[in-house]
Amino acid sequence: MNRNVLIVAAATALIGFALGRSLAPTTIEFPAADAALDAEQMESRVAIALRETRAFPRAGNLIRLFEGLTRENVAGAASAVRERAAERDPVDLQLFLTAYAHLDPTAAMLEVQSWPIRSRREQGLRIVMREWAASGERLAAGNYYDSLTDPETRAVAASPLVRGWALSGDVEGARALALRFFEEEGRREVVDALVGGVLHAQGAEGALALARAGEPHGERAFDRQIALATLALVGREDAKQAAAYYDALLRPEPTPWLTPQLVPLAGLIRNDDSEAALEWLLPKADGPERTRALKETMGTWARRDFDAARAWFEARGALEAAASGELSPTDSTLLSGLVRRQARVQPSEAAAWAVRLRPESDRLEMLRRVAYFWSMKDPAAADAWLATLVLSDAERAPIAEAAEWGRSRDAAARAPADDL
């Protein structure tokens, strides 16, 4: 390489480095362990920290600064945070307000209530109220809540107060508070806050113990709401424990309020283990929720590992039953999940199974899906297959339309694959 070119490249790199340093945030000077910043110094250094564009070093700098908050310098930090409101990251706000809440929670509450932007004000109220109660000063936090007169502010602060109370370790107190809000003010969201707080502090076992202490099959809606929240929240952390709790709730017999939880809970189980989700669903009473959950679970498994899903289905003897036209309603539902995936990658093979689905299932939907994807790959073969189908005119029309979409060059724009 030409020596002059090397010199120019090196000079350019040095200039870029110098410009980068000039544009980067000024280095922050942290005080000695036995010293404290005054308000002006705190404001200046928090402002510098907030200008850091990388989230991790910004958070680290802010934590070090906020560890040095005092009643004398906190106003400076608050001023810097307010000044950067338009560019703020939610984490920045949380770091400041949680530190402020430990220093002076009442002052922190007054600070956030002075903010003019409603969404930011409400976010701040939630952070301070939760942290205040979680810090152990739950009675003081509760008394402050009771002093609030604005209905909107009370509505925002209720759930964080309950969650913080539960995070502090006082489950019974948090439960009593949530019950008060639920029965006196009709706040159903406080139940999620209660269960979520217990789950955070004590894990799935703690949340399940809270739910089992109630009587969800009784007349009190509060206990029933705790059971529902437990299924949803514990299910995200330990789906199999939530499934066992669901099964316990089925006794002595299924109840209308419980049945809708089958589909989302099955979805949580199959996130980790599709086969386990199917095995859990199969013994359940027949119904639209079970049918939907089976179909979605089989479809998910087939999308992730078609060969494994097909092998499991074949082990049931269901493929033989399908070939002889003797599919049970359950196996027809499961087969439709396989066909949904196979239609995309092996439409000619999927066509043979789609026609064997039971008429009362989603047979027509799967025929339509096969027609679409097969026509994209081999229009002549798809047309020949379509001509063999014994269908009414009303049934044939949407399938023929799907085949036409598959043949068209702009099929993706006119009929997204997820619709088929």
Side-chain angles (χ1 to χ4, degrees):
M1 182 181 290
N2 186 291
R3 184 170 180 272
N4 290 334
V5 173
L6 285 172
I7 293 172
V8 171
T12 302
L14 287 171
I15 292 171
F17 177 74
L19 284 173
R21 286 181 62 88
S22 67
L23 295 173
T26 305
T27 302
I28 300 171
E29 295 182 11
F30 295 98
D34 58 349
L37 300 173
D38 62 28
E40 185 176 347
Q41 291 171 325
M42 179 64 80
E43 181 176 1
S44 172
R45 295 178 198 188
V46 170
I48 292 171
L50 288 169
R51 286 199 292 272
E52 168 60 62
T53 57
R54 297 166 300 165
F56 186 73
R58 184 174 70 249
N61 289 335
L62 288 173
I63 289 171
R64 289 186 64 185
L65 288 168
F66 295 153
E67 285 176 340
L69 282 183
T70 66
R71 294 179 186 275
E72 289 72 31
N73 65 23
V74 69
S79 178
V81 171
R82 284 196 302 271
E83 187 69 21
R84 299 287 292 183
E87 299 90 1
R88 69 172 176 81
D89 184 299
V91 174
D92 303 340
L93 194 64
Q94 181 161 337
L95 290 174
F96 171 61
L97 290 178
T98 51
Y100 199 174
H102 283 274
L103 176 69
D104 188 340
T106 302
M109 274 294 188
L110 294 175
E111 167 68 23
V112 298
Q113 289 183 75
S114 72
W115 293 345
I117 301 174
R118 178 177 175 178
S119 60
R120 187 165 179 258
R121 184 171 64 248
E122 291 182 353
Q123 183 183 19
L125 281 168
R126 292 187 184 97
I127 292 170
V128 175
M129 183 58 79
R130 185 200 65 233
E131 193 69 12
W132 192 355
S135 70
E137 296 186 20
R138 49 189 179 271
L139 292 178
N143 289 336
Y144 186 88
Y145 176 88
D146 286 335
S147 74
L148 297 172
T149 56
D150 177 56
E152 291 187 3
T153 303
R154 289 174 65 87
V156 171
S159 289
L161 175 60
V162 171
R163 185 180 180 89
W165 205 299
L167 289 171
S168 76
D170 182 7
V171 175
E172 285 305 311
R175 186 180 184 280
L177 186 64
L179 177 60
R180 169 193 151 190
F181 290 151
F182 186 87
E183 293 187 337
E184 295 179 4
E185 303 180 29
R187 303 194 188 284
R188 299 174 71 87
E189 69 277 8
V190 298
V191 177
D192 280 357
L194 169 64
V195 176
V198 175
L199 180 62
H200 188 158
Q202 301 184 9
E205 292 294 345
L208 288 166
L210 171 71
R212 293 185 183 114
E215 297 181 4
H217 292 300
E219 297 182 358
R220 194 158 68 173
F222 179 71
D223 288 347
R224 187 158 55 250
Q225 201 65 30
I226 287 179
L228 293 173
T230 300
L231 288 170
L233 297 178
V234 171
R236 298 173 194 170
E237 185 167 306
D238 191 327
K240 291 184 178 179
Q241 279 208 69
Y245 178 56
Y246 180 97
D247 290 342
L249 289 172
L250 287 175
R251 303 182 184 94
E253 59 185 21
T255 51
W257 60 267
L258 185 60
T259 304
Q261 308 310 308
L262 187 70
V263 173
L265 188 51
L268 293 169
I269 299 171
R270 72 171 172 262
N271 285 341
D272 295 325
D273 189 338
S274 294
E275 183 176 352
L278 289 172
E279 298 292 353
W280 179 70
L281 286 165
L282 285 171
K284 300 292 184 287
D286 191 23
E289 290 83 6
R290 175 179 177 272
T291 297
R292 177 184 165 189
L294 285 171
K295 181 166 60 176
E296 290 179 356
T297 300
M298 196 63 174
T300 298
W301 193 5
R303 187 171 64 252
R304 292 173 177 169
D305 188 342
F306 181 82
D307 291 339
R310 180 188 170 108
W312 178 88
F313 184 71
E314 189 170 9
R316 289 173 56 84
L319 285 181
E320 295 179 5
S324 64
E326 299 176 356
L327 272 178
S328 70
T330 292
D331 285 337
S332 184
T333 296
L334 293 169
L335 180 59
S336 73
L338 285 175
V339 170
R340 172 172 288 277
R341 173 58 180 169
Q342 192 175 30
R344 180 186 288 272
V345 294
Q346 300 172 331
S348 59
E349 291 84 349
W353 298 115
V355 296
R356 290 176 169 82
L357 294 171
R358 293 175 68 93
E360 70 270 19
S361 68
D362 53 358
R363 178 172 178 267
L364 291 178
E365 180 188 345
M366 291 304 107
L367 292 174
R368 182 170 172 260
R369 187 174 175 86
V370 168
Y372 173 78
F373 286 109
W374 201 354
S375 293
M376 290 179 66
K377 294 187 175 186
D378 190 342
D383 286 344
W385 165 75
L386 185 56
T388 67
L389 298 179
V390 179
L391 300 167
S392 68
D393 290 344
E395 292 170 336
R396 184 177 298 276
I399 299 171
E401 183 180 42
E404 179 60 31
W405 284 346
R407 283 190 294 271
S408 66
R409 300 183 66 175
D410 61 340
R414 294 174 56 186
D418 286 345
D419 292 341
L420 290 155

